[in-house]
Amino acid sequence: PVSLRRYFLWLLMGGIGLFVGGMTLSVVFSLRANEAAEMRLLRLEAEQTRASVTRDWNYYQEVVDNLARDQELIDLMLLGSDLDKQEWAASRRRLLPGILGLALTSPQGEIYGDAAELRIGPTCLSDLHKPQTGATNRVLVHRERPEFEHADLLTEVRGTTGELLGKLFVSVRLEQLQRILDDSTRPGDATRLLDKAGKTM
């Protein structure tokens, strides 16, 4: 009877151990499955947010490129005075939503008109005078003043025969992109926007 009781006791303990082990494995696999599903959802949301930000940014890039190719602007760069160019830039800035500053420059990067009136800050002016290499379009991000965080676009303005007439400089408020990130982020999550170099915008 004593050995039989021990046998049943060990059998019972073994059954309990198998039950606990099975439950533990079930919980582990369930947690891993939930984690994998959560990661897939996060990747999907990140891709959708990236597409939305890219679409919004491409809109501004397309607007700037179209402005730079406009025949009225080409004629203005050839024949207009500095005041005419400043007035053109100021009028276009008022028409475009989310634009902080807009200006026309010489091929060497000199602003046509008053930089302050066109909302071109000291850092932007300094960037305009730096040597450029590579593509005609470039993007620079400035965060010196939190209320005026922006990204700059600089596009060449060329004549009908391809000669460089000057450049079109545009500052886009980063709040436009931040609004997309905020709308796409769930409570408890965090989102960062990175440029091609992996730096936070």
Side-chain angles (χ1 to χ4, degrees), residues 95-134:
L95 290 175
L96 297 174
I99 297 297
L100 177 63
L102 191 152
L104 295 170
T105 79
S106 68
Q108 295 74 34
E110 297 294 334
I111 292 282
Y112 290 122
D114 184 82
E117 284 190 28
L118 296 171
R119 296 186 180 178
I120 309 300
T123 307
C124 297
L125 287 173
S126 174
D127 289 336
L128 284 170
H129 290 94
K130 292 178 181 177
Q132 296 180 55
T133 57

Side-chain angles (χ1 to χ4, degrees), residues 24-193:
T24 301
L25 288 175
S26 176
V27 170
V28 169
F29 286 133
S30 177
L31 289 175
R32 287 186 177 178
N34 288 339
E35 184 179 350
E38 180 72 12
M39 288 303 298
R40 284 195 297 270
L41 180 60
L42 286 175
R43 280 194 291 269
L44 177 61
E45 291 177 346
E47 179 59 28
Q48 291 174 340
T49 303
R50 185 198 65 79
S52 297
V53 170
T54 301
R55 186 166 51 249
D56 195 61
W57 185 255
N58 286 343
Y59 161 76
Y60 287 105
Q61 183 68 69
E62 185 177 357
V63 167
V64 172
D65 291 341
N66 289 340
L67 283 175
R69 291 192 296 265
D70 184 44
Q71 187 60 49
E72 179 186 347
L73 174 59
I74 293 173
D75 294 340
L76 180 67
M77 296 297 284
L78 288 169
L79 305 172
S81 66
D82 287 5
L83 181 59
D84 293 333
K85 295 170 184 174
Q86 174 174 323
E87 290 176 350
W88 180 93
S91 67
R92 296 309 184 273
R93 178 178 56 80
R94 288 191 293 268
L95 290 175
L96 297 174
I99 297 297
L100 177 63
L102 191 152
L104 295 170
T105 79
S106 68
Q108 295 74 34
E110 297 294 334
I111 292 282
Y112 290 122
D114 184 82
E117 284 190 28
L118 296 171
R119 296 186 180 178
I120 309 300
T123 307
C124 297
L125 287 173
S126 174
D127 289 336
L128 284 170
H129 290 94
K130 292 178 181 177
Q132 296 180 55
T133 57
T136 57
N137 295 334
R138 62 173 179 155
V139 179
L140 294 173
V141 178
H142 294 149
R143 307 184 192 85
E144 293 82 10
R145 299 177 63 184
E147 69 274 22
F148 294 120
E149 291 181 333
H150 63 276
D152 295 336
L153 287 170
L154 183 64
T155 301
E156 293 178 348
V157 180
R158 293 188 174 272
T160 53
T161 59
E163 71 277 20
L164 180 61
L165 303 178
K167 298 167 187 175
L168 174 60
F169 178 85
V170 178
S171 294
V172 181
R173 292 181 182 272
L174 283 184
E175 65 185 24
Q176 297 293 112
L177 306 181
Q178 185 63 52
R179 188 176 296 115
I180 296 175
L181 296 181
D182 293 341
D183 292 343
S184 305
T185 304
R186 296 180 297 172
D189 291 342
T191 306
R192 286 193 305 163
L193 181 62

Side-chain angles (χ1 to χ4, degrees), residues 5-18:
R5 282 198 298 271
R6 286 182 180 172
Y7 172 76
F8 280 114
L9 181 60
W10 282 109
L11 188 63
L12 179 62
M13 291 178 63
I16 294 173
L18 287 174

